[in-house]
Amino acid sequence: MLRALPNIKDQEQGGVAVVVNLESERARARTSLDALTALVSEDMKRVNALIVQKMHSPVALIPQLAGHLVAAGGKRLRPMLTLAAARLCGYRADRHIGLAAAVEFIHTATLLHDDVVDESELRRGQSSANAVWGNKASVLVGDFLFSRAFELMVQDGSLSVLGILSHASAVIAEGEVLQLTTTNDTTTSETAYLDVIRSKTAQLFAAASRIGAVVAARPKAEEEALDGYGLNLGIAFQLIDDVLDYSARQAELGKTIGDDFREGKITLPVILAFRRGSEEERQFWQRTVEAMEQRDGDLARAIDLINKHGAMRDTIERARHYGAIARDSLGIFPDGNEKRILLDVVDFCIERAY
Amino acid sequence: MLRALPNIKDQEQGGVAVVVNLESERARARTSLDALTALVSEDMKRVNALIVQKMHSPVALIPQLAGHLVAAGGKRLRPMLTLAAARLCGYRADRHIGLAAAVEFIHTATLLHDDVVDESELRRGQSSANAVWGNKASVLVGDFLFSRAFELMVQDGSLSVLGILSHASAVIAEGEVLQLTTTNDTTTSETAYLDVIRSKTAQLFAAASRIGAVVAARPKAEEEALDGYGLNLGIAFQLIDDVLDYSARQAELGKTIGDDFREGKITLPVILAFRRGSEEERQFWQRTVEAMEQRDGDLARAIDLINKHGAMRDTIERARHYGAIARDSLGIFPDGNEKRILLDVVDFCIERAY
């Protein structure tokens, strides 16, 4: 089935009433994950049940702490990618359930470890899990979930999947360490930043998508297509995440913004604003995110500078570029419901910037 | 070959000169890992080379931090167990090299994560890696090594080994979390303490030994014998480790003691001294390791109380019990050089208490 995407030219030439209807329908699809959620909803119920089951431990603190994260309930985007990719590949059996749970466990472990507060960072804001239970519990429960992920993969029995996800885990850790070395460094290049997000975020999107083709025993070309889809989707997703942290609109919606700024994380909006800024503006960035001397009103000024230099707009443009690659990666798959939904996920990841 | 173990009865009945010679030779074997080190020295060179190779990453901080631990060079007891167990099982090919490296990576990752300082613990002593590079780097490099361990196992290609080590990793994490919940709790029972050390320490000894039989494709009974050997050896090893931390003799030798005391870890010497102590003595323990109000001279008093109640002697006795089980576990293997050396490892793990 060809996608009913309203053509911009049509819109310019009139026929507005029809276009508006199509467009509003498309806009709904674009700005939510509803279609993806509906596609995998039965599978996802089983994944969630498996997650609860495998989180169990006689050591009560483990399900307590892990349950805190699971109940907080993120978008579950990564396991949904595994489930949807498996369906795109025509897979009809059960293995994708356990592997989607493994993907979510790896993601949750990464979150727990990412939230560990450094000694030097204690003065700054703390995230929830380790604020309640402490650094050490977060680390150890993360290790437990990570080990459980590998147990789930061993149960599945595919060395290919084990290879893909153990490699992804190593690359994620490398990306996180690389990010440590760029934190508080305003001279970080766009290339170095992209290396970080390609590793720390996009690698798991790629692996999660790829294993959908592996369980379906599809040819290497389809594995690689899904890997390329996930990788580029993940880069776009992270770019937009970094944009949202400086978004005045998010603040209006009551969302917390400015976390990256307060932590001195050097993301693309800052890199662009710094490079395009005056000497005085660079001194502002050096004081706030390098020397970490932050005062009231600094976040507002950071947002002003980022907007003034078009750094939000251009970061979104970069995200569109990777989104376009993600879309084209799926080109080798025949059109159909699953493909359309996966293409819409790309739109969702980018359109949520607005 | 039967072991030339001097019988205590012989010693009592005379023949002292001969017995002394044998005994001094045995004592050397018992108080060092020299024989084990010699047995696996060629293999261990290859393991070390592989460790250095797999520690490599374009992210420079990773080999720096990991190299710090590797250079610090522990006893490498766990990978040596894998190598020696494989030899005991008559294995002559190469797979044990990569798996021994995987075992060491898991152990190193555990060490890095175990050293993470909790927010609430910052006032107390810090261990080296995270003191130099911070909590966050320790966690992430640990994750990297852990992932690399799984990559090594995937390369090996045995789902049995992957199952054994992923399960061991989950149990280790459970043990570490359980230990968190017993820290500062003087009412911890001996049973709860044993649950902790069985999980956090002995499980990896068991897995490391067991996979020697797996690579050699030996029958389940030999796998289980080596598992039982490693498990009980690991318990004995940890009990003696806990004894050494209160050993006046270790202090005389210039070793640091009192780490567990300062951290409020509840180990068997403390559990026994607490249970056998007077009301006033229990208040001492409650103040020092529960309320964590420690003053000069408290460690000396702790050592006095532990010795007064025979808690050192009896913890060593408990270790002997598990050592005996470890020895008997190897009973099904024919006598020979490898077996004799593995039996001597049990003696080493216990005799180092003196």
Side-chain angles (χ1 to χ4, degrees):
Chain A
M1 195 185 84
L2 274 170
R3 304 172 57 236
L5 182 67
N7 179 311
I8 289 176
K9 228 172 157 199
D10 287 349
Q11 210 168 349
E12 284 167 348
Q13 290 174 350
V16 178
V18 173
V19 170
V20 166
N21 279 345
L22 275 172
E23 188 56 26
S24 70
E25 192 191 311
R26 283 282 309 148
R28 254 202 314 284
R30 277 179 166 177
T31 49
S32 84
L33 286 173
D34 293 351
L36 177 64
T37 306
L39 176 71
V40 300
S41 95
E42 285 307 308
D43 283 350
M44 204 60 211
K45 274 184 206 153
R46 295 175 61 199
V47 173
N48 285 331
L50 190 59
I51 285 176
V52 170
Q53 183 197 327
K54 294 287 174 184
M55 244 168 34
H56 180 77
S57 162
V59 183
L61 183 57
I62 291 176
Q64 271 168 29
L65 200 156
H68 175 82
L69 256 95
V70 169
K75 287 179 284 291
R76 295 261 210 281
L77 186 50
R78 294 156 189 83
M80 287 203 292
L81 287 177
T82 300
L83 299 175
R87 291 197 57 140
L88 175 70
C89 292
Y91 184 68
R92 290 288 172 268
D94 290 328
R95 289 177 51 202
H96 60 326
I97 304 294
L99 296 178
V103 164
E104 184 65 5
F105 274 165
I106 291 176
H107 174 56
T108 309
T110 309
L111 283 186
L112 278 166
H113 287 185
D114 198 38
D115 284 352
V116 163
V117 176
D118 219 334
E119 293 100 302
S120 57
E121 287 174 14
L122 284 179
R123 64 188 180 283
R124 296 204 289 277
Q126 292 174 352
S127 57
S128 43
N130 69 331
V132 180
W133 287 280
N135 268 338
K136 203 141 186 170
S138 293
V139 172
L140 298 174
V141 173
D143 288 350
F144 175 80
L145 294 177
F146 198 52
S147 305
R148 272 281 188 269
F150 278 91
E151 285 190 279
L152 278 162
M153 288 180 248
V154 170
Q155 214 173 313
D156 173 69
S158 159
L159 282 166
S160 303
V161 170
L162 278 155
I164 290 164
L165 282 171
S166 60
H167 180 67
S169 301
V171 172
I172 291 167
E174 274 180 322
E176 298 265 8
V177 176
L178 190 61
Q179 182 172 48
L180 276 189
T181 66
T182 65
T183 297
N184 304 129
D185 180 0
T186 53
T187 69
T188 302
S189 68
E190 180 164 348
T191 309
Y193 164 80
L194 269 171
D195 282 347
V196 168
I197 68 173
R198 188 176 280 119
S199 300
K200 77 159 191 169
T201 306
Q203 196 68 34
L204 191 57
F205 276 73
S209 305
R210 178 173 210 137
I211 59 183
V214 176
V215 292
R218 301 298 305 162
K220 266 284 184 259
E222 293 187 19
E223 264 191 46
E224 279 162 22
L226 278 164
D227 189 288
Y229 165 79
L231 189 80
N232 288 285
L233 176 70
I235 295 174
F237 178 87
Q238 186 62 55
L239 283 164
I240 299 302
D241 237 37
D242 294 346
V243 159
L244 289 174
D245 203 54
Y246 288 98
S247 156
R249 169 128 179 75
Q250 288 289 304
E252 283 166 27
L253 290 170
K255 303 262 173 80
T256 305
I257 64 165
D259 281 345
D260 293 341
F261 182 74
R262 279 183 292 272
E263 291 176 30
K265 268 193 198 159
I266 309 298
T267 59
L268 193 54
V270 174
I271 291 171
L272 296 179
F274 179 83
R275 299 204 161 217
R276 295 171 183 180
S278 67
E279 192 47 47
E280 186 271 331
E281 288 171 7
R282 290 188 190 181
Q283 281 166 12
F284 166 81
W285 291 113
Q286 281 156 351
R287 170 175 65 77
T288 52
V289 294
E290 205 159 281
M292 297 302 294
E293 290 162 16
Q294 301 188 1
R295 306 171 196 146
D296 282 354
D298 278 347
L299 177 61
R301 173 140 201 244
I303 292 172
D304 280 349
L305 292 179
I306 285 170
N307 283 316
K308 170 182 158 191
H309 291 292
M312 292 289 260
R313 179 198 62 214
D314 289 351
T315 301
I316 297 170
E317 271 314 302
R318 306 288 210 268
R320 282 191 197 290
H321 162 82
Y322 293 102
I325 302 175
R327 299 174 61 87
D328 276 322
S329 298
L330 293 189
I332 63 167
F333 291 97
D335 291 328
N337 191 40
E338 287 86 1
K339 180 169 166 181
R340 186 179 53 75
I341 287 171
L342 284 170
L343 291 171
D344 281 349
V345 172
V346 179
D347 289 336
F348 161 76
C349 285
I350 294 167
E351 301 306 324
R352 70 198 178 107
Y354 299 104
Chain B
M1 194 184 87
L2 275 170
R3 302 173 56 236
L5 181 67
N7 178 313
I8 288 175
K9 228 173 159 200
D10 286 349
Q11 210 169 347
E12 282 168 349
Q13 289 173 350
V16 177
V18 173
V19 169
V20 165
N21 279 346
L22 275 173
E23 189 57 24
S24 72
E25 191 191 311
R26 282 282 310 148
R28 253 202 315 282
R30 276 178 167 177
T31 51
S32 85
L33 286 173
D34 293 352
L36 176 64
T37 306
L39 176 71
V40 300
S41 97
E42 285 307 307
D43 282 350
M44 203 61 210
K45 275 183 206 154
R46 295 175 62 200
V47 173
N48 286 331
L50 189 60
I51 285 175
V52 170
Q53 183 198 325
K54 294 288 175 185
M55 243 167 36
H56 179 76
S57 162
V59 182
L61 183 58
I62 290 176
Q64 272 168 30
L65 201 157
H68 174 81
L69 256 95
V70 169
K75 290 178 283 292
R76 294 262 209 283
L77 185 50
R78 293 156 190 83
M80 287 204 290
L81 287 177
T82 300
L83 299 175
R87 291 196 58 141
L88 175 71
C89 292
Y91 183 67
R92 288 290 172 267
D94 289 328
R95 288 176 52 203
H96 60 328
I97 305 293
L99 296 179
V103 164
E104 184 65 4
F105 274 166
I106 291 176
H107 175 56
T108 308
T110 309
L111 283 185
L112 278 166
H113 287 184
D114 198 38
D115 284 352
V116 164
V117 177
D118 220 333
E119 292 103 302
S120 56
E121 287 173 14
L122 284 178
R123 66 189 178 281
R124 295 203 288 278
Q126 293 175 350
S127 57
S128 44
N130 69 330
V132 180
W133 286 282
N135 268 340
K136 201 142 185 170
S138 293
V139 172
L140 299 173
V141 173
D143 288 349
F144 175 81
L145 294 178
F146 197 53
S147 305
R148 273 281 189 268
F150 277 90
E151 284 191 279
L152 278 162
M153 288 181 248
V154 170
Q155 214 173 312
D156 173 69
S158 159
L159 282 166
S160 303
V161 170
L162 277 157
I164 291 165
L165 281 172
S166 60
H167 180 67
S169 301
V171 172
I172 291 167
E174 275 180 322
E176 298 265 8
V177 176
L178 190 60
Q179 184 173 45
L180 276 189
T181 65
T182 64
T183 298
N184 305 129
D185 180 0
T186 53
T187 68
T188 302
S189 68
E190 181 164 348
T191 308
Y193 164 80
L194 270 171
D195 282 346
V196 168
I197 69 174
R198 187 176 283 120
S199 300
K200 77 159 190 169
T201 307
Q203 195 69 33
L204 191 56
F205 276 72
S209 306
R210 178 173 210 138
I211 59 182
V214 176
V215 292
R218 302 296 306 161
K220 266 283 183 264
E222 294 188 18
E223 263 190 48
E224 278 162 22
L226 278 164
D227 190 288
Y229 165 80
L231 188 80
N232 288 286
L233 176 70
I235 295 174
F237 178 87
Q238 186 61 55
L239 283 163
I240 300 301
D241 237 38
D242 293 345
V243 159
L244 290 174
D245 203 55
Y246 288 99
S247 157
R249 169 128 178 75
Q250 287 288 304
E252 282 165 29
L253 290 170
K255 303 261 174 79
T256 306
I257 64 165
D259 281 346
D260 292 343
F261 183 74
R262 278 183 293 272
E263 290 176 31
K265 268 193 197 162
I266 309 299
T267 59
L268 192 54
V270 174
I271 291 171
L272 295 180
F274 179 82
R275 297 201 164 220
R276 295 171 183 181
S278 67
E279 192 48 45
E280 186 272 333
E281 288 171 6
R282 290 188 190 182
Q283 281 167 12
F284 165 81
W285 292 113
Q286 282 157 350
R287 170 175 66 77
T288 53
V289 294
E290 204 158 283
M292 296 302 294
E293 290 163 16
Q294 300 188 2
R295 307 171 195 146
D296 284 352
D298 278 347
L299 177 61
R301 171 134 206 246
I303 292 173
D304 280 349
L305 292 179
I306 285 170
N307 282 316
K308 170 181 159 192
H309 291 293
M312 292 290 260
R313 180 198 62 214
D314 289 351
T315 301
I316 298 170
E317 271 313 303
R318 305 288 210 269
R320 283 192 196 289
H321 162 82
Y322 292 102
I325 301 175
R327 299 174 62 87
D328 276 322
S329 297
L330 293 189
I332 63 166
F333 290 97
D335 290 329
N337 190 40
E338 286 86 0
K339 180 170 166 180
R340 187 180 51 75
I341 287 171
L342 284 170
L343 292 171
D344 281 349
V345 172
V346 180
D347 288 337
F348 161 77
C349 285
I350 293 166
E351 301 306 325
R352 70 198 177 106
Y354 299 104

